[in-house]
DNA sequence: CGTCTTTGACCCGCGC
DNA sequence: GCGCGGGTCAAAGACG
């Protein structure tokens, strides 16, 4: 693909003079708007193309990895599972093995944050940590501690390719209800940073909750309401389209005020 | 004092 | 059988 230059600059050097009337200015503005719309289309197409290329590259990489695991039979079972469940980032970041009891979730986090705690709505107890051969960052082992007889385990390790990504491998199925609501609603300080609907590559932070909070499932109605408001505000302000629309609405309003 | 995290030791499966 | 490496255990310490 040959690089095409896209001019996104806004040419609004329109100083109305005696020679130019309002109709002329309007015509130029419309033309400029059309030009920018076209540039926007071009940019969108190029972005889509880049995404397609990225997906294709990821697929090639995964095929290569799978091929490698086939020709090196010394690799262990666990590694095979991990390789076989690795797919492209566009595929929701949550992969399930042919066995439904093992799933893998990639979670984006801050590379400078050494924490290996990933909040997923359940309560986990760490029972081990190991440095594995193929990855310099340690792997943490967790057991689900929400229900005493829950057999689910998970492993969390920073990705070798991208230190910003935590690779979480779940084994088994929970035999109890999801614990997320109780956690999120009882800790308001985290409300603005946590998506109520778990996004597979959602930004996460240090996900250790105070012990007392985890134990206490009692939820006050007012705090839930406040939490919901905070979450809605946070998700809206994160939305670029919303911010743009809001900015234009505000500028439009102030223009109206100026007109009066 | 109860619960959780840390971490070294131990167990076990796999490949040679 | 031995060595390697991943997974688990359990004692000690931290924390509220």
């Amino acid at each position: 693909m040959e690089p095409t230059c896209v001019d996104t600059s806004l040419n609004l050097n329109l100083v109305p003079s005696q020679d130019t009337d309002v109709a002329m200015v309007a015509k130029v503005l419309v033309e400029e708007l059309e030009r920018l719309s076209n540039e926007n289309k071009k940019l969108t197409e190029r972005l889509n193309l880049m995404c397609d290329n990225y997906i294709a590259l990821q697929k090639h990489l995964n095929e290569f990895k799978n091929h490698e695991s086939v020709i090196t039979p010394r690799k262990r079972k666990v590694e095979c599972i991990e390789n076989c469940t690795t797919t492209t980032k566009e595929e929701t970041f949550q992969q399930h093995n042919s066995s439904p009891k093992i799933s893998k979730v990639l979670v984006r986090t801050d590379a400078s944050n050494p924490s290996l705690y990933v909040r997923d709505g359940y309560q986990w107890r760490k029972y081990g940590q190991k440095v594995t051969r193929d990855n310099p960052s340690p792997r943490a082992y967790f057991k689900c501690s929400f229900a005493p007889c829950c057999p689910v385990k998970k492993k969390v390790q920073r990705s070798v390719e991208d230190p910003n990504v935590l690779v979480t491998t779940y084994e088994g199925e929970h035999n109890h209800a999801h614990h997320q609501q109780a956690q999120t609603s009882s800790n308001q300080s985290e409300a603005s940073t946590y998506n109520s609907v778990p996004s597979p590559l959602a930004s996460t932070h240090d996900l250790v909750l105070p012990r007392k909070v985890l134990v206490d499932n009692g939820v006050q109605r007012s705090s839930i309401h406040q939490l919901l408001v905070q979450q809605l505000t946070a998700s809206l302000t994160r939305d670029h389209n919303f911010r743009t629309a809001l900015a234009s609405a505000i500028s439009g309003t102030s223009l109206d005020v100026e007109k009066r």
Side-chain angles (χ1 to χ4, degrees):
Chain A
M1 181 184 90
E2 74 282 5
T4 56
C5 209
V6 178
D7 180 15
T8 57
S9 62
L10 191 58
N11 182 18
L12 293 176
N13 296 325
L14 298 167
V15 182
S17 65
Q18 293 173 344
D19 298 321
T20 60
D21 54 13
V22 177
M24 277 289 289
V25 172
K27 187 187 171 190
V28 171
L29 279 173
V30 168
E31 285 173 358
E32 188 66 13
L33 188 63
E34 283 175 358
R35 187 183 67 79
L36 286 172
S37 295
N38 287 331
E39 303 295 359
N40 190 24
K41 277 181 189 172
K42 283 182 194 173
L43 281 171
T44 306
E45 285 168 7
R46 290 177 66 179
L47 184 63
N48 288 336
L49 193 65
M50 283 174 71
C51 287
D52 290 343
N53 288 339
Y54 181 73
I55 292 170
L57 268 173
Q58 280 281 348
K59 281 182 180 171
H60 278 49
L61 179 65
N62 290 321
E63 282 169 11
F64 179 73
K65 280 181 178 176
N66 288 337
H67 180 67
E68 235 183 8
S69 70
V70 168
I71 61 175
T72 53
R74 282 196 65 175
K75 291 221 170 191
R76 295 194 165 208
K77 251 192 298 186
V78 175
E79 288 180 79
C80 176
I81 288 166
E82 286 182 2
N83 283 331
C84 297
T85 55
T86 303
T87 57
T88 67
K89 287 187 177 182
E90 280 66 25
E91 291 176 16
T92 74
F93 278 81
Q94 179 164 6
Q95 300 96 19
H96 293 278
N97 194 25
S98 53
S99 162
K101 301 203 171 188
I102 297 178
S103 65
K104 194 172 177 180
V105 177
L106 307 183
V107 179
R108 186 166 293 283
T109 182
D110 188 2
S112 61
N113 181 4
S115 169
L116 287 174
Y117 290 88
V118 177
R119 178 172 47 189
D120 49 19
Y122 294 97
Q123 187 179 337
W124 300 94
R125 182 178 61 83
K126 188 178 180 182
Y127 66 91
Q129 182 167 315
K130 267 275 193 192
V131 176
T132 56
R133 218 181 86 176
D134 53 344
N135 194 334
S137 62
R139 176 184 294 170
Y141 300 90
F142 297 90
K143 280 177 183 172
C144 181
S145 62
F146 184 60
C149 55
C150 182
V152 180
K153 293 175 191 172
K154 77 169 178 180
K155 293 177 283 189
V156 181
Q157 190 172 30
R158 213 163 276 282
S159 171
V160 187
E161 292 87 7
D162 187 357
N164 291 310
V165 173
L166 286 177
V167 182
T168 309
T169 308
Y170 294 90
E171 294 179 28
E173 291 174 356
H174 294 279
N175 56 9
H176 54 85
H178 204 253
H179 186 229
Q180 183 176 303
Q181 274 81 15
Q183 282 189 340
T184 53
S185 59
S186 53
N187 193 334
Q188 291 183 16
S189 64
E190 292 180 276
S192 62
T193 60
Y194 181 63
N195 299 320
S196 57
V197 178
S199 162
L201 198 68
S203 173
T204 60
H205 307 268
D206 194 354
L207 302 168
V208 181
L209 293 173
R211 293 171 194 169
K212 198 175 179 181
V213 167
L214 292 174
V215 171
D216 182 14
N217 289 345
V219 176
Q220 293 187 352
R221 196 176 293 263
S222 60
S223 65
I224 292 177
H225 184 257
Q226 195 174 352
L227 176 84
L228 284 171
V229 170
Q230 285 178 349
Q231 284 186 345
L232 275 171
T233 309
S235 47
L236 282 175
T237 50
R238 273 198 297 267
D239 188 342
H240 179 260
N241 290 335
F242 176 76
R243 287 209 307 267
T244 309
L246 183 63
S248 58
I250 291 170
S251 61
T253 307
S254 53
L255 283 175
D256 288 344
V257 170
E258 282 177 7
K259 281 177 189 173
R260 291 170 200 163

Tab-separated table of all heavy atoms in Angstrom, chain A residues 73-74 76-77 117 123 125-130 211, chain B residues 2-10 13-16:
chain	number	residue	atom	x	y	z
A	73	PRO	N	7.811	-31.950	20.755
A	73	PRO	CA	6.951	-32.746	21.634
A	73	PRO	C	7.354	-32.692	23.089
A	73	PRO	O	6.625	-33.143	23.936
A	73	PRO	CB	7.112	-34.151	21.065
A	73	PRO	CG	8.410	-34.133	20.349
A	73	PRO	CD	8.592	-32.747	19.834
A	74	ARG	N	8.505	-32.124	23.410
A	74	ARG	CA	8.919	-32.076	24.803
A	74	ARG	C	8.083	-31.101	25.601
A	74	ARG	O	8.075	-31.125	26.822
A	74	ARG	CB	10.385	-31.673	24.910
A	74	ARG	CG	11.322	-32.796	24.604
A	74	ARG	CD	12.690	-32.443	25.092
A	74	ARG	NE	12.726	-32.319	26.540
A	74	ARG	CZ	13.841	-32.116	27.223
A	74	ARG	NH1	14.966	-32.007	26.602
A	74	ARG	NH2	13.809	-32.010	28.529
A	76	ARG	N	5.294	-29.269	27.530
A	76	ARG	CA	4.355	-29.896	28.452
A	76	ARG	C	2.916	-29.635	28.053
A	76	ARG	O	2.610	-28.808	27.222
A	76	ARG	CB	4.615	-29.355	29.853
A	76	ARG	CG	5.972	-29.768	30.347
A	76	ARG	CD	6.043	-29.515	31.807
A	76	ARG	NE	7.204	-30.227	32.329
A	76	ARG	CZ	7.287	-30.669	33.554
A	76	ARG	NH1	6.296	-30.519	34.362
A	76	ARG	NH2	8.357	-31.279	33.968
A	77	LYS	N	2.062	-30.401	28.723
A	77	LYS	CA	0.637	-30.301	28.455
A	77	LYS	C	0.115	-28.888	28.658
A	77	LYS	O	-0.628	-28.350	27.869
A	77	LYS	CB	-0.110	-31.256	29.384
A	77	LYS	CG	-0.694	-32.435	28.669
A	77	LYS	CD	-1.645	-33.174	29.553
A	77	LYS	CE	-1.011	-33.741	30.784
A	77	LYS	NZ	-1.881	-34.581	31.579
A	117	TYR	N	-2.685	-9.099	40.845
A	117	TYR	CA	-4.067	-9.290	41.248
A	117	TYR	C	-4.990	-8.765	40.167
A	117	TYR	O	-4.911	-7.624	39.773
A	117	TYR	CB	-4.357	-8.603	42.575
A	117	TYR	CG	-3.682	-9.287	43.726
A	117	TYR	CD1	-2.390	-8.949	44.108
A	117	TYR	CD2	-4.316	-10.322	44.388
A	117	TYR	CE1	-1.766	-9.595	45.151
A	117	TYR	CE2	-3.700	-10.978	45.434
A	117	TYR	CZ	-2.429	-10.609	45.813
A	117	TYR	OH	-1.813	-11.262	46.841
A	123	GLN	N	-13.607	-13.933	44.666
A	123	GLN	CA	-12.637	-13.737	45.743
A	123	GLN	C	-11.581	-14.832	45.667
A	123	GLN	O	-11.902	-16.022	45.665
A	123	GLN	CB	-13.364	-13.772	47.086
A	123	GLN	CG	-12.467	-13.415	48.255
A	123	GLN	CD	-13.247	-13.433	49.557
A	123	GLN	OE1	-14.446	-13.284	49.552
A	123	GLN	NE2	-12.550	-13.629	50.655
A	125	ARG	N	-7.714	-16.547	46.853
A	125	ARG	CA	-6.659	-16.648	47.858
A	125	ARG	C	-5.388	-17.127	47.164
A	125	ARG	O	-5.374	-18.144	46.475
A	125	ARG	CB	-7.039	-17.643	48.946
A	125	ARG	CG	-6.011	-17.756	50.042
A	125	ARG	CD	-6.488	-18.718	51.114
A	125	ARG	NE	-6.697	-20.081	50.603
A	125	ARG	CZ	-5.744	-20.981	50.465
A	125	ARG	NH1	-4.507	-20.666	50.792
A	125	ARG	NH2	-6.004	-22.189	50.003
A	126	LYS	N	-4.354	-16.356	47.330
A	126	LYS	CA	-3.092	-16.711	46.687
A	126	LYS	C	-2.426	-17.838	47.471
A	126	LYS	O	-2.311	-17.778	48.693
A	126	LYS	CB	-2.180	-15.494	46.643
A	126	LYS	CG	-0.929	-15.693	45.832
A	126	LYS	CD	-0.131	-14.401	45.817
A	126	LYS	CE	1.142	-14.577	45.017
A	126	LYS	NZ	1.951	-13.342	45.031
A	127	TYR	N	-2.007	-18.883	46.784
A	127	TYR	CA	-1.383	-19.993	47.512
A	127	TYR	C	0.009	-20.310	46.994
A	127	TYR	O	0.673	-21.238	47.497
A	127	TYR	CB	-2.262	-21.245	47.451
A	127	TYR	CG	-2.411	-21.838	46.077
A	127	TYR	CD1	-1.548	-22.822	45.615
A	127	TYR	CD2	-3.430	-21.424	45.235
A	127	TYR	CE1	-1.694	-23.381	44.369
A	127	TYR	CE2	-3.579	-21.979	43.988
A	127	TYR	CZ	-2.714	-22.957	43.562
A	127	TYR	OH	-2.868	-23.511	42.314
A	128	GLY	N	0.474	-19.546	46.014
A	128	GLY	CA	1.815	-19.810	45.531
A	128	GLY	C	2.268	-18.831	44.485
A	128	GLY	O	1.460	-18.127	43.886
A	129	GLN	N	3.547	-18.768	44.290
A	129	GLN	CA	4.120	-17.933	43.243
A	129	GLN	C	5.402	-18.577	42.755
A	129	GLN	O	6.204	-19.059	43.561
A	129	GLN	CB	4.392	-16.525	43.775
A	129	GLN	CG	4.936	-15.573	42.725
A	129	GLN	CD	4.894	-14.133	43.180
A	129	GLN	OE1	3.891	-13.695	43.722
A	129	GLN	NE2	5.965	-13.396	42.964
A	130	LYS	N	5.578	-18.588	41.463
A	130	LYS	CA	6.746	-19.238	40.877
A	130	LYS	C	7.277	-18.413	39.723
A	130	LYS	O	6.531	-17.762	39.014
A	130	LYS	CB	6.337	-20.608	40.307
A	130	LYS	CG	6.518	-21.741	41.264
A	130	LYS	CD	7.928	-22.237	41.201
A	130	LYS	CE	8.063	-23.568	41.913
A	130	LYS	NZ	9.420	-23.967	42.129
A	211	ARG	N	-9.925	-6.611	53.318
A	211	ARG	CA	-10.503	-7.884	53.765
A	211	ARG	C	-11.891	-7.708	54.336
A	211	ARG	O	-12.787	-8.487	54.088
A	211	ARG	CB	-9.599	-8.505	54.821
A	211	ARG	CG	-8.277	-8.926	54.254
A	211	ARG	CD	-7.360	-9.322	55.363
A	211	ARG	NE	-5.997	-9.409	54.882
A	211	ARG	CZ	-4.950	-9.537	55.664
A	211	ARG	NH1	-5.094	-9.580	56.951
A	211	ARG	NH2	-3.756	-9.614	55.167
B	2	DG	P	-8.911	-17.035	66.879
B	2	DG	OP1	-10.009	-17.739	67.560
B	2	DG	OP2	-7.565	-17.648	66.826
B	2	DG	O5'	-9.369	-16.708	65.377
B	2	DG	C5'	-10.386	-15.736	65.169
B	2	DG	C4'	-10.252	-15.137	63.786
B	2	DG	O4'	-9.103	-14.238	63.760
B	2	DG	C3'	-10.022	-16.158	62.666
B	2	DG	O3'	-10.883	-15.849	61.578
B	2	DG	C2'	-8.552	-15.987	62.300
B	2	DG	C1'	-8.289	-14.527	62.636
B	2	DG	N9	-6.919	-14.217	63.017
B	2	DG	C8	-6.136	-14.892	63.916
B	2	DG	N7	-4.940	-14.378	64.058
B	2	DG	C5	-4.940	-13.294	63.201
B	2	DG	C6	-3.913	-12.344	62.930
B	2	DG	O6	-2.771	-12.276	63.397
B	2	DG	N1	-4.326	-11.402	61.982
B	2	DG	C2	-5.561	-11.371	61.392
B	2	DG	N2	-5.768	-10.395	60.511
B	2	DG	N3	-6.526	-12.240	61.633
B	2	DG	C4	-6.144	-13.174	62.547
B	3	DT	P	-10.979	-16.884	60.374
B	3	DT	OP1	-12.399	-16.995	60.008
B	3	DT	OP2	-10.178	-18.086	60.697
B	3	DT	O5'	-10.233	-16.074	59.198
B	3	DT	C5'	-10.578	-14.713	58.973
B	3	DT	C4'	-9.578	-14.078	58.039
B	3	DT	O4'	-8.338	-13.830	58.757
B	3	DT	C3'	-9.209	-14.931	56.826
B	3	DT	O3'	-9.398	-14.184	55.649
B	3	DT	C2'	-7.735	-15.275	57.046
B	3	DT	C1'	-7.266	-14.110	57.905
B	3	DT	N1	-6.086	-14.399	58.769
B	3	DT	C2	-5.005	-13.540	58.729
B	3	DT	O2	-4.964	-12.545	58.030
B	3	DT	N3	-3.963	-13.900	59.560
B	3	DT	C4	-3.902	-14.994	60.387
B	3	DT	O4	-2.908	-15.206	61.080
B	3	DT	C5	-5.061	-15.840	60.381
B	3	DT	C7	-5.100	-17.064	61.243
B	3	DT	C6	-6.092	-15.509	59.575
B	4	DC	P	-9.296	-14.879	54.239
B	4	DC	OP1	-10.410	-14.382	53.410
B	4	DC	OP2	-9.108	-16.329	54.427
B	4	DC	O5'	-7.941	-14.259	53.678
B	4	DC	C5'	-7.753	-12.856	53.723
B	4	DC	C4'	-6.298	-12.514	53.466
B	4	DC	O4'	-5.508	-12.903	54.614
B	4	DC	C3'	-5.699	-13.233	52.251
B	4	DC	O3'	-5.150	-12.280	51.363
B	4	DC	C2'	-4.640	-14.151	52.844
B	4	DC	C1'	-4.294	-13.452	54.168
B	4	DC	N1	-3.791	-14.376	55.219
B	4	DC	C2	-2.569	-14.133	55.832
B	4	DC	O2	-1.924	-13.131	55.481
B	4	DC	N3	-2.128	-14.981	56.773
B	4	DC	C4	-2.847	-16.041	57.123
B	4	DC	N4	-2.370	-16.856	58.065
B	4	DC	C5	-4.104	-16.310	56.512
B	4	DC	C6	-4.542	-15.464	55.573
B	5	DT	P	-4.517	-12.727	49.996
B	5	DT	OP1	-4.942	-11.757	48.977
B	5	DT	OP2	-4.760	-14.168	49.807
B	5	DT	O5'	-2.961	-12.519	50.266
B	5	DT	C5'	-2.513	-11.289	50.801
B	5	DT	C4'	-1.007	-11.323	51.048
B	5	DT	O4'	-0.723	-12.214	52.157
B	5	DT	C3'	-0.175	-11.820	49.865
B	5	DT	O3'	0.947	-10.980	49.710
B	5	DT	C2'	0.217	-13.237	50.275
B	5	DT	C1'	0.274	-13.122	51.788
B	5	DT	N1	-0.007	-14.381	52.535
B	5	DT	C2	0.893	-14.813	53.489
B	5	DT	O2	1.920	-14.210	53.733
B	5	DT	N3	0.535	-15.963	54.132
B	5	DT	C4	-0.606	-16.719	53.930
B	5	DT	O4	-0.818	-17.742	54.576
B	5	DT	C5	-1.502	-16.212	52.918
B	5	DT	C7	-2.755	-16.961	52.615
B	5	DT	C6	-1.163	-15.078	52.280
B	6	DT	P	1.934	-11.151	48.489
B	6	DT	OP1	2.336	-9.793	48.064
B	6	DT	OP2	1.329	-12.084	47.527
B	6	DT	O5'	3.206	-11.862	49.136
B	6	DT	C5'	3.718	-11.348	50.355
B	6	DT	C4'	4.798	-12.258	50.903
B	6	DT	O4'	4.182	-13.397	51.559
B	6	DT	C3'	5.761	-12.829	49.858
B	6	DT	O3'	7.083	-12.642	50.306
B	6	DT	C2'	5.394	-14.307	49.784
B	6	DT	C1'	4.873	-14.565	51.183
B	6	DT	N1	3.892	-15.678	51.329
B	6	DT	C2	4.074	-16.589	52.341
B	6	DT	O2	5.008	-16.550	53.121
B	6	DT	N3	3.121	-17.569	52.398
B	6	DT	C4	2.014	-17.718	51.569
B	6	DT	O4	1.221	-18.638	51.730
B	6	DT	C5	1.886	-16.725	50.538
B	6	DT	C7	0.738	-16.796	49.581
B	6	DT	C6	2.821	-15.757	50.469
B	7	DT	P	8.312	-12.700	49.321
B	7	DT	OP1	9.278	-11.680	49.764
B	7	DT	OP2	7.766	-12.680	47.953
B	7	DT	O5'	8.938	-14.145	49.585
B	7	DT	C5'	9.128	-14.571	50.925
B	7	DT	C4'	9.423	-16.052	50.961
B	7	DT	O4'	8.186	-16.802	51.062
B	7	DT	C3'	10.148	-16.600	49.721
B	7	DT	O3'	11.138	-17.527	50.129
B	7	DT	C2'	9.047	-17.306	48.943
B	7	DT	C1'	8.235	-17.846	50.117
B	7	DT	N1	6.825	-18.224	49.785
B	7	DT	C2	6.203	-19.159	50.580
B	7	DT	O2	6.716	-19.693	51.534
B	7	DT	N3	4.928	-19.461	50.189
B	7	DT	C4	4.231	-18.927	49.118
B	7	DT	O4	3.082	-19.268	48.878
B	7	DT	C5	4.947	-17.946	48.338
B	7	DT	C7	4.293	-17.318	47.157
B	7	DT	C6	6.204	-17.657	48.708
B	8	DG	P	12.556	-17.532	49.443
B	8	DG	OP1	13.278	-16.358	49.949
B	8	DG	OP2	12.378	-17.732	47.994
B	8	DG	O5'	13.217	-18.849	50.046
B	8	DG	C5'	13.155	-19.077	51.438
B	8	DG	C4'	12.734	-20.498	51.735
B	8	DG	O4'	11.327	-20.672	51.421
B	8	DG	C3'	13.487	-21.569	50.946
B	8	DG	O3'	13.871	-22.621	51.847
B	8	DG	C2'	12.479	-22.053	49.910
B	8	DG	C1'	11.154	-21.835	50.626
B	8	DG	N9	10.006	-21.614	49.763
B	8	DG	C8	9.937	-20.752	48.690
B	8	DG	N7	8.770	-20.756	48.093
B	8	DG	C5	8.030	-21.682	48.818
B	8	DG	C6	6.702	-22.117	48.642
B	8	DG	O6	5.873	-21.757	47.788
B	8	DG	N1	6.337	-23.064	49.592
B	8	DG	C2	7.161	-23.534	50.588
B	8	DG	N2	6.642	-24.448	51.405
B	8	DG	N3	8.402	-23.142	50.759
B	8	DG	C4	8.775	-22.216	49.842
B	9	DA	P	14.712	-23.873	51.369
B	9	DA	OP1	15.744	-24.144	52.379
B	9	DA	OP2	15.079	-23.677	49.945
B	9	DA	O5'	13.617	-25.034	51.433
B	9	DA	C5'	12.817	-25.159	52.603
B	9	DA	C4'	11.796	-26.268	52.420
B	9	DA	O4'	10.726	-25.803	51.564
B	9	DA	C3'	12.355	-27.548	51.780
B	9	DA	O3'	11.858	-28.687	52.479
B	9	DA	C2'	11.840	-27.472	50.345
B	9	DA	C1'	10.528	-26.717	50.499
B	9	DA	N9	10.131	-25.935	49.326
B	9	DA	C8	10.917	-25.083	48.607
B	9	DA	N7	10.304	-24.503	47.605
B	9	DA	C5	9.018	-25.010	47.676
B	9	DA	C6	7.868	-24.789	46.895
B	9	DA	N6	7.837	-23.962	45.845
B	9	DA	N1	6.732	-25.443	47.239
B	9	DA	C2	6.767	-26.267	48.289
B	9	DA	N3	7.779	-26.559	49.098
B	9	DA	C4	8.892	-25.880	48.737
B	10	DC	P	12.440	-30.136	52.182
B	10	DC	OP1	12.633	-30.835	53.470
B	10	DC	OP2	13.546	-30.010	51.215
B	10	DC	O5'	11.212	-30.824	51.428
B	10	DC	C5'	9.898	-30.705	51.984
B	10	DC	C4'	8.867	-31.039	50.939
B	10	DC	O4'	8.814	-29.966	49.967
B	10	DC	C3'	9.145	-32.321	50.147
B	10	DC	O3'	8.082	-33.243	50.361
B	10	DC	C2'	9.230	-31.857	48.687
B	10	DC	C1'	8.486	-30.527	48.709
B	10	DC	N1	8.892	-29.547	47.655
B	10	DC	C2	7.959	-29.087	46.748
B	10	DC	O2	6.787	-29.489	46.821
B	10	DC	N3	8.331	-28.203	45.790
B	10	DC	C4	9.605	-27.786	45.739
B	10	DC	N4	9.925	-26.910	44.787
B	10	DC	C5	10.574	-28.237	46.675
B	10	DC	C6	10.193	-29.108	47.603
B	13	DG	P	2.167	-37.965	39.285
B	13	DG	OP1	0.743	-38.252	39.514
B	13	DG	OP2	3.198	-39.002	39.561
B	13	DG	O5'	2.332	-37.477	37.770
B	13	DG	C5'	1.859	-36.187	37.403
B	13	DG	C4'	2.684	-35.626	36.250
B	13	DG	O4'	3.967	-35.166	36.749
B	13	DG	C3'	2.986	-36.638	35.141
B	13	DG	O3'	2.789	-36.001	33.894
B	13	DG	C2'	4.465	-36.980	35.370
B	13	DG	C1'	5.009	-35.688	35.959
B	13	DG	N9	6.171	-35.845	36.827
B	13	DG	C8	6.309	-36.725	37.877
B	13	DG	N7	7.457	-36.636	38.486
B	13	DG	C5	8.127	-35.628	37.796
B	13	DG	C6	9.421	-35.091	38.004
B	13	DG	O6	10.255	-35.394	38.855
B	13	DG	N1	9.703	-34.090	37.080
B	13	DG	C2	8.857	-33.658	36.096
B	13	DG	N2	9.298	-32.693	35.301
B	13	DG	N3	7.649	-34.157	35.890
B	13	DG	C4	7.353	-35.127	36.773
B	14	DC	P	2.680	-36.894	32.601
B	14	DC	OP1	1.458	-36.462	31.897
B	14	DC	OP2	2.879	-38.304	32.953
B	14	DC	O5'	3.940	-36.394	31.766
B	14	DC	C5'	4.247	-35.016	31.706
B	14	DC	C4'	5.664	-34.818	31.218
B	14	DC	O4'	6.586	-34.977	32.326
B	14	DC	C3'	6.101	-35.819	30.138
B	14	DC	O3'	6.607	-35.111	29.023
B	14	DC	C2'	7.178	-36.660	30.815
B	14	DC	C1'	7.706	-35.711	31.901
B	14	DC	N1	8.267	-36.392	33.087
B	14	DC	C2	9.521	-36.032	33.573
B	14	DC	O2	10.159	-35.137	32.998
B	14	DC	N3	10.023	-36.674	34.660
B	14	DC	C4	9.315	-37.617	35.253
B	14	DC	N4	9.846	-38.216	36.325
B	14	DC	C5	8.019	-38.000	34.782
B	14	DC	C6	7.542	-37.372	33.707
B	15	DG	P	6.778	-35.858	27.673
B	15	DG	OP1	6.118	-35.034	26.643
B	15	DG	OP2	6.420	-37.277	27.837
B	15	DG	O5'	8.360	-35.761	27.449
B	15	DG	C5'	9.005	-34.509	27.603
B	15	DG	C4'	10.511	-34.689	27.736
B	15	DG	O4'	10.825	-35.244	29.039
B	15	DG	C3'	11.131	-35.651	26.708
B	15	DG	O3'	12.317	-35.061	26.196
B	15	DG	C2'	11.423	-36.914	27.515
B	15	DG	C1'	11.676	-36.350	28.913
B	15	DG	N9	11.364	-37.271	30.001
B	15	DG	C8	10.216	-38.016	30.151
B	15	DG	N7	10.202	-38.738	31.231
B	15	DG	C5	11.416	-38.457	31.830
B	15	DG	C6	11.970	-38.960	33.038
B	15	DG	O6	11.475	-39.771	33.828
B	15	DG	N1	13.227	-38.410	33.284
B	15	DG	C2	13.872	-37.517	32.477
B	15	DG	N2	15.066	-37.104	32.881
B	15	DG	N3	13.364	-37.041	31.353
B	15	DG	C4	12.135	-37.558	31.087
B	16	DC	P	13.047	-35.746	24.981
B	16	DC	OP1	13.428	-34.660	24.070
B	16	DC	OP2	12.247	-36.887	24.488
B	16	DC	O5'	14.374	-36.323	25.658
B	16	DC	C5'	15.188	-35.450	26.444
B	16	DC	C4'	16.236	-36.243	27.194
B	16	DC	O4'	15.608	-36.967	28.271
B	16	DC	C3'	16.975	-37.273	26.340
B	16	DC	O3'	18.372	-37.129	26.504
B	16	DC	C2'	16.492	-38.614	26.875
B	16	DC	C1'	16.132	-38.266	28.325
B	16	DC	N1	15.085	-39.139	28.900
B	16	DC	C2	15.305	-39.743	30.149
B	16	DC	O2	16.374	-39.511	30.745
B	16	DC	N3	14.344	-40.543	30.676
B	16	DC	C4	13.212	-40.752	30.001
B	16	DC	N4	12.293	-41.542	30.553
B	16	DC	C5	12.974	-40.151	28.733
B	16	DC	C6	13.920	-39.363	28.226
